[in-house]
Amino acid sequence: MSLPKTLADDVARNLVMVARLLDEDPDLAYGYSRVALRLASRVAAVREAAGFASYATERYAEALAEFRACRRMTGTVDLWPVMADCERGMGRPERALEMAGAPEVHKLDRAGQVEMRLVAAGARRDMGQNEAAVVTLQSPELASNAVHPWTARLRYAYADALLAAGREDEAREWFAKSLEADQNGSTDASDRLAQLDGVAFVDALDEAADEDAGAGAPGAEVRDEDADDDADDDAEASDEDEDDKVGAAGDGGEPDVDLTDEADPTAFLDDPFKEPAKGTED
């Protein structure tokens, strides 16, 4: 509302494209966010959108700068968990844990506190503290049977932490609980369960294509065998013809030459001074 009408419309269009593309094409969403940022960098919504687009493309330093700017403009702490996660992305899990213990966390709503707990557990795992990550995620929200938008992700993170800690049986139980709460398919809990159970999924379309490809192979082999048989028959016939020719030459043509070991090894040599036979040319 602080922008002129035409400029406000241009900025709004870019923000709409950021929201539409953020999940399916983060890089393109990032491009739209930069356009909006050039047009209206003093609008908090623009800084927030730019922050999420940078975060989605793993430009964590840029994202943190945009989130901090948005927080200064609005005075809210809603972005505190994602700011802490940016610290993790920049390789500073200790800083993320410090933010998890800051007073700002108490100002977050329930969903925000769950997000902060997820970030803190991730920071523990970044530091190789898998058992500590398990403890961090143990909370009333995890124990509750009620399903909220964050329930599936919380249970999934807990199962993943258990698996990293070597507690496979418990991990399988919590992956199953995550799958029960995952109404929108936000996790791959079903795939993780299949891996733990040793189940391999096969694409039915690929399998059908392989069967179709294999169906033509036997026919090709039969044709090849027929061709080989014909070739063998031709070869045998050719050999018989050659035998006939050799036999005819042996009967009425030139005498056969003895090529055995007992034959005189010098018998094939001609006398170079012998007079040529009549009827032959020099």
Side-chain angles (χ1 to χ4, degrees):
M1 297 298 293
S2 62
L3 300 175
K5 180 66 169 62
T6 302
L7 180 58
D9 290 342
D10 290 340
V11 172
R13 290 190 182 95
N14 283 279
L15 295 183
V16 167
M17 293 308 297
V18 172
R20 286 182 176 178
L21 296 170
L22 194 59
D23 292 332
E24 61 185 62
D25 194 342
D27 289 321
L28 189 55
Y30 176 80
Y32 280 106
S33 74
R34 304 313 289 181
V35 174
L37 195 59
R38 286 196 300 268
L39 294 174
S41 61
R42 295 188 179 184
V43 175
V46 171
R47 305 303 289 265
E48 181 177 349
F52 277 110
S54 299
Y55 179 81
T57 55
E58 300 183 1
R59 295 176 170 90
Y60 297 115
E62 287 185 23
L64 184 58
E66 299 301 338
F67 291 143
R68 284 174 174 170
C70 182
R71 181 169 179 263
R72 287 194 300 269
M73 292 176 180
T74 61
T76 64
V77 296
D78 295 344
L79 297 173
W80 193 256
V82 70
M83 290 170 62
D85 206 36
C86 287
E87 296 285 359
R88 282 187 60 211
M90 295 167 64
R92 300 189 298 215
E94 298 87 353
R95 176 58 183 153
L97 287 176
E98 291 177 8
M99 295 180 67
E104 284 82 355
V105 176
H106 300 290
K107 300 178 183 179
L108 295 170
D109 60 13
R110 193 178 182 188
Q113 290 181 0
V114 170
E115 290 295 331
M116 193 71 249
R117 194 176 291 276
L118 290 170
V119 173
R124 291 290 186 187
R125 293 190 58 183
D126 292 342
M127 299 168 66
Q129 302 173 2
N130 294 322
E131 287 291 350
V134 171
V135 174
T136 300
L137 292 168
Q138 292 173 349
S139 61
E141 291 81 10
L142 181 66
S144 174
N145 292 325
V147 176
H148 300 279
W150 36 260
T151 301
R153 293 176 53 243
L154 179 60
R155 293 177 179 178
Y156 183 94
Y158 186 61
D160 203 28
L162 287 168
L163 189 61
R167 298 157 63 174
E168 185 173 319
D169 292 340
E170 295 175 77
R172 191 198 180 289
E173 177 186 352
W174 281 96
F175 276 128
K177 291 183 178 180
S178 174
L179 182 59
E180 291 176 359
D182 194 0
Q183 300 174 352
N184 300 320
S186 59
T187 71
D188 64 344
S190 60
D191 294 337
R192 300 298 296 275
L193 275 173
Q195 291 175 1
L196 291 175
D197 293 338
V199 177
F201 292 102
V202 178
D203 193 328
L205 295 178
D206 291 342
E207 186 176 359
D210 292 340
E211 291 178 356
D212 292 341
E221 292 178 0
V222 171
R223 288 194 296 272
D224 290 342
E225 291 176 358
D226 293 342
D228 292 340
D229 292 341
D230 293 340
D232 292 341
D233 293 341
D234 293 341
E236 292 176 0
S238 178
D239 291 342
E240 292 175 357
D241 293 341
E242 289 295 331
D243 293 341
D244 293 341
K245 292 178 180 178
V246 172
D251 295 338
E254 296 180 359
D256 295 336
V257 179
D258 188 359
L259 299 179
T260 62
D261 293 339
E262 291 78 6
D264 184 357
T266 62
F268 69 93
L269 296 176
D270 293 330
D271 185 354
F273 300 104
K274 183 178 180 181
E275 289 292 330
K278 293 181 179 181
T280 62
E281 297 180 359
D282 295 337

